[in-house]
Amino acid sequence: MKALVYQGPAKKDWIEKDKPAIDKPTDAIVRITRTTICGTDLHILKGDVPAVTEGRTLGHEGVGIVESVGDAVANFKPGDAVLISCVTSCGKCPNCKRQLYAHCSDGGWILGHLIDGTQAEYVRIPHADNSLYPIPEGADEEALVMLSDIMPTGFEIGVLAGRVKPGDTMAIVGAGPIGMATLLTAQFYSPGRIIMIDTDPNRLEVARQFGATETLQVGADDVIARIMEMTDGQGVDVAVEAVGVPATFDTCQKIVSAGGNIANVGVHGKPVELHIEELWIKNINISMGLVCTNTTPMLLKTLQSGKVDPARLITHRFSLDRILDAYEVFGNAAREKAMKVILTA
């Protein structure tokens, strides 16, 4: 089979690789029909995730068709159409019992990280019964790819951890896919204002189309001063960091109100400076973490009901064998006006 393989920092290639096989009775082999590229994959290619070793197939999102299952798999059979969760969970360990699937003792985020991932023609899914979801009949498979990772990530780590409430003023720093997923799912809770902050005017215009009430362009606006002016000097109730660089986390520290929440969603490859000398007196909460995907069943229902349409995030489509072209586009998102790409096998 063909797979997109990490060859070291800044190196990748679409090469021939052995097709995966059942390794444990709880495994399933899935033929990929659609997958995508995540910002985390770009962080890996920058060398920000040293646990990813040379030779690893990247990718942790996708939908496909079950080709074979191990003897212990009860919920799926060959021919079933499935959504692949970015997080693998055994469903039995102490953390899984608490729905902390990201910290499963035999799983977590392993696809495209510690084991071969979904940017390939086939992928092995450990603990298939708990790590796959049946695709509802008639569902938009392209939209479902967004439920592998970015939608639950934006919702769980941005909205829920950020404690968004009706009437809140929130700011999302970063209008990339994760920031947009946070924007879409924040609207479940009817915040009064959603201010989107980014360097890219095109993305800010898209954010307005997706429900942002106001936008600020880094470079053109003095973001900190404008936020304080817009909030009568109070700051925002919820500040969501959705980029993963020190400057954007620092912005969140400066704009959060007393009693507010900073929700860090971005993947950071470098340390940030925590201004505890200013924040300790403000009664704020800071949260961060890896998505657990325990909200995926709920998000599937919202997709089916039409309450949220994550397919709106898709801007570019490629065949799977053009994945190197897709990386070029996704890696130059501002130039290409790219949000999410879909790769179809």
Side-chain angles (χ1 to χ4, degrees):
M1 71 164 190
K2 284 293 193 73
L4 192 284
V5 176
Y6 175 70
Q7 307 279 33
K11 298 176 183 177
K12 62 187 180 302
D13 206 358
W14 177 246
I15 62 173
E16 194 68 29
K17 193 169 184 176
D18 288 342
K19 181 180 172 182
I22 299 292
D23 184 50
K24 295 181 180 179
T26 52
D27 289 348
I29 305 300
V30 176
R31 176 174 60 82
I32 293 294
T33 56
R34 288 180 175 85
T35 186
T36 187
I37 303 168
C38 181
T40 304
D41 298 319
L42 300 184
H43 278 284
I44 290 170
L45 287 166
K46 290 177 183 176
D48 289 347
V49 189
V52 180
T53 54
E54 293 183 26
R56 177 70 62 232
T57 298
L58 296 185
H60 49 267
E61 303 161 272
V63 298
I65 305 296
V66 175
E67 176 159 287
S68 59
V69 297
D71 293 340
V73 175
N75 296 339
F76 300 96
K77 64 184 184 305
D80 285 348
V82 291
L83 166 66
I84 299 166
S85 173
C86 66
V87 167
T88 300
S89 58
C90 73
K92 299 176 180 179
C93 70
N95 282 333
C96 282
K97 292 293 186 182
R98 294 191 293 157
Q99 291 196 322
L100 283 172
Y101 303 141
H103 302 283
C104 173
S105 62
D106 191 38
W109 172 42
I110 57 174
L111 289 174
H113 178 207
L114 305 180
I115 68 171
D116 286 343
T118 59
Q119 290 171 10
E121 294 177 321
Y122 295 87
V123 62
R124 179 178 70 89
I125 304 297
H127 302 296
D129 277 341
N130 298 290
S131 306
L132 297 173
Y133 296 89
I135 291 180
E137 188 174 349
D140 180 345
E141 289 195 6
E142 290 190 347
L144 282 171
V145 174
M146 306 299 110
L147 268 63
S148 282
D149 181 0
I150 64 166
M151 293 298 285
T153 295
F155 184 50
E156 293 173 24
I157 310 303
V159 178
L160 295 183
R163 304 179 186 182
V164 176
K165 304 184 301 300
D168 274 355
T169 294
M170 67 181 298
I172 302 171
V173 186
I178 288 293
M180 293 295 194
T182 305
L183 169 62
L184 288 174
T185 54
Q187 292 169 71
F188 295 162
Y189 292 90
S190 301
R193 302 169 75 181
I194 306 177
I195 305 164
M196 186 66 83
I197 301 167
D198 201 274
T199 59
D200 184 351
N202 175 68
R203 286 190 165 186
L204 292 175
E205 176 56 34
V206 173
R208 282 190 175 272
Q209 296 170 20
F210 285 6
T213 56
E214 293 124 308
T215 59
L216 294 174
Q217 184 182 351
V218 177
D221 294 304
D222 182 336
V223 170
I224 310 301
R226 288 284 291 120
I227 288 285
M228 290 304 167
E229 178 185 326
M230 295 161 70
T231 59
D232 296 325
Q234 298 300 304
V236 299
D237 301 302
V238 182
V240 177
E241 195 288 323
V243 181
V245 296
T248 49
F249 184 79
D250 194 50
T251 295
C252 289
Q253 295 185 81
K254 291 176 179 176
I255 64 175
V256 68
S257 68
N261 299 279
I262 297 175
N264 184 92
V265 187
V267 177
H268 288 264
K270 296 180 180 179
V272 301
E273 185 175 1
L274 178 65
H275 287 288
I276 198 167
E277 79 284 1
E278 298 174 3
L279 296 174
W280 75 269
I281 203 170
K282 294 181 72 172
N283 296 77
I284 68 158
N285 294 287
I286 301 176
S287 62
M288 61 197 72
L290 181 62
V291 64
C292 286
T293 68
N294 53 64
T295 64
T296 300
M298 183 277 286
L299 290 171
L300 278 166
K301 292 178 181 178
T302 64
L303 176 63
Q304 285 299 95
S305 69
K307 298 294 185 184
V308 66
D309 182 14
R312 297 169 68 191
L313 297 170
I314 300 165
T315 56
H316 293 73
R317 293 169 174 82
F318 298 86
S319 59
L320 183 57
D321 60 4
R322 291 186 58 209
I323 192 167
L324 293 176
D325 294 333
Y327 262 96
E328 178 67 19
V329 167
F330 189 69
N332 293 279
R335 183 188 74 198
E336 302 291 343
K337 297 184 177 180
M339 190 63 62
K340 286 294 283 186
V341 302
I342 284 288
L343 296 144
T344 302

